[in-house]
Amino acid sequence: MSGDYEGARATLARCASQEAVQGRTDRSLSRWIVLAIPVDGVGETDRDARTLAEFDGSAVEAESALLEAANTYEHRLWTVMRREIFKCSSRSYFLRIHGRMDTYGIVLQLAELVHDTAESTSKYSA
């Protein structure tokens, strides 16, 4: 498992350095959030999405933050006995974490801000 994780981190780092070499560093940064949405092993009242991170960055940085969340998020477990990470897309993972007695299924989603009414000349207009 850690080999897959390290391989993915290396690929993201390689992409970022290629973008820098190709002169793509002048693009504006987007606003991102990483969401955790419990879907399995929780009651109906505990299915609310949680914002794990909110930051400005490039798409590569955002995907790296999502992968980091998939590797570290513990939901309500004191000790994670087993972690299964399923990639749905570059911006979405399904995480199954096993504790001593409980197992949770969590969708981790990366979202980019595309519109904000607080911005008078919003670059985020869709």
Side-chain angles (χ1 to χ4, degrees):
M1 181 65 205
S2 65
D4 293 340
Y5 173 74
E6 292 303 321
R9 299 267 304 169
T11 300
L12 288 171
R14 190 170 49 253
C15 289
S17 65
Q18 286 173 351
E19 286 181 355
V21 168
Q22 294 172 358
R24 294 187 205 155
T25 57
D26 62 337
R27 69 188 181 282
S28 61
L29 300 177
S30 294
R31 188 84 180 147
W32 301 91
I33 58 173
V34 176
L35 296 170
I37 306 157
V39 294
D40 193 25
V42 295
E44 288 297 319
T45 60
D46 194 27
R47 291 187 187 263
D48 292 333
R50 296 182 178 110
T51 301
L52 302 182
E54 185 168 349
F55 55 93
D56 293 319
S58 69
V60 171
E61 292 168 327
E63 290 173 11
S64 179
L66 177 64
L67 186 58
E68 181 71 23
N71 196 51
T72 59
Y73 184 64
E74 297 180 353
H75 190 58
R76 294 184 170 188
L77 294 175
W78 287 78
T79 303
V80 173
M81 307 296 284
R82 180 179 175 195
R83 176 182 306 272
E84 297 172 277
I85 302 172
F86 299 87
K87 184 175 183 176
C88 303
S89 71
S90 63
R91 295 186 179 188
S92 179
Y93 289 89
F94 177 77
L95 174 63
R96 188 180 300 140
I97 49 178
H98 304 263
R100 201 173 316 193
M101 297 176 60
D102 297 314
T103 299
Y104 296 106
I106 313 287
V107 172
L108 296 175
Q109 185 81 41
L110 181 61
E112 180 180 11
L113 179 65
V114 296
H115 180 73
D116 184 350
T117 59
E119 298 285 325
S120 59
T121 56
S122 181
K123 70 175 184 175
Y124 303 113
S125 59

